Amino acid sequence: MTNRLQIAPSVLAADPLHIGREVKMMLEFGADLLHVDIMDGHFVPNVTYGRGMVKALKKGFPNIVHDVHLMMSYPEDHIDDFIEAGADELTIHVEVAGDVEGMLRYIRERGLKAGLSLRPKTSAEELLPYLPLCDLIMIMSVEPGLGGQKIIPETLDKLVYLREHGYKGLLSVDGGINQETMGLVIRKGGERLIMGTGLFGSPNPALVIEEARKIS
Ligand code: DX5
Ligand code: ZN
């Protein structure tokens, strides 16, 4: 909680023709790590990309953390692929049907940070049995599956709830964070801001990052 605020640009919002160039720019502006959204067309309606994207990003940017968000109904079938591609952190959703505990344990055993996320409508209580197995919790502050949506402010109460229930790991927030909403997210306890449109769609992303750091 006293840690430095982390800014994680979400690659989903980068121009697909110029991802490398745009990511480089965000890192030069002071972003800390990269957030990569994997969507399977089943857990969420959209499909994005697979391990090839993670591998290319890791090769291009080997010295930063690659935070891979698996919006997949069957993540257990793909965890090894993303580890081999170079992910540093793998986040799965608590709503998936598989063995959530087993997957979190496995991700850690393989030397990565294990993350757990939840949809806006899922209660934070669902996470409680898994807290000791999580290095990060990613609160979805919009419905997963699409960039550029409006933040749902009530979801941020989950940050407070988790701290009150003894969670000690990193609190990350994903969706609808921009220059206007970042203050609220930080005040509620967000330690990692995942920002797609709020950075890549901003005329002045360097200023957004600078201002976020001033708030925190
Ligand atoms: C949404 C993704 C987010 C997305 C956020 O399902 O998990 O990472 O990129 O995009 P913005 O910041 O535009 O809401
Ligand atoms: Zn995401």
Side-chain angles (χ1 to χ4, degrees), residues 1 7 14 18 23 33 38 47 54 59 71 102 118 129 138 140 143 156 162 180 182 188 211 213:
M1 288 158 280
I7 307 286
H18 305 287
V23 164
L33 70 151
I38 310 295
V47 174
V54 173
K59 188 170 175 226
M71 282 164 275
L118 75 175
M138 186 190 295
M140 287 303 309
E143 199 53 51
L156 303 174
L162 289 168
E180 284 71 48
M182 62 192 186
K188 285 278 188 175
E211 286 195 350
R213 299 223 187 276

Side-chain angles (χ1 to χ4, degrees), residues 10 12 35 37 39 69 71 140 144-148 174-176 195-197:
S10 178
L12 186 66
H35 179 83
D37 288 309
M39 303 186 190
H69 180 188
M71 282 164 275
M140 287 303 309
L146 204 63
D174 188 9
M195 299 174 84
T197 318

Side-chain angles (χ1 to χ4, degrees), residues 102 110 153:
R110 294 287 311 264

Side-chain angles (χ1 to χ4, degrees), residues 6 57 113 127 133 147 178 207:
Q6 297 181 6
L57 288 168
K113 287 196 171 155
L127 303 182
L133 301 169
N178 53 37
L207 183 70

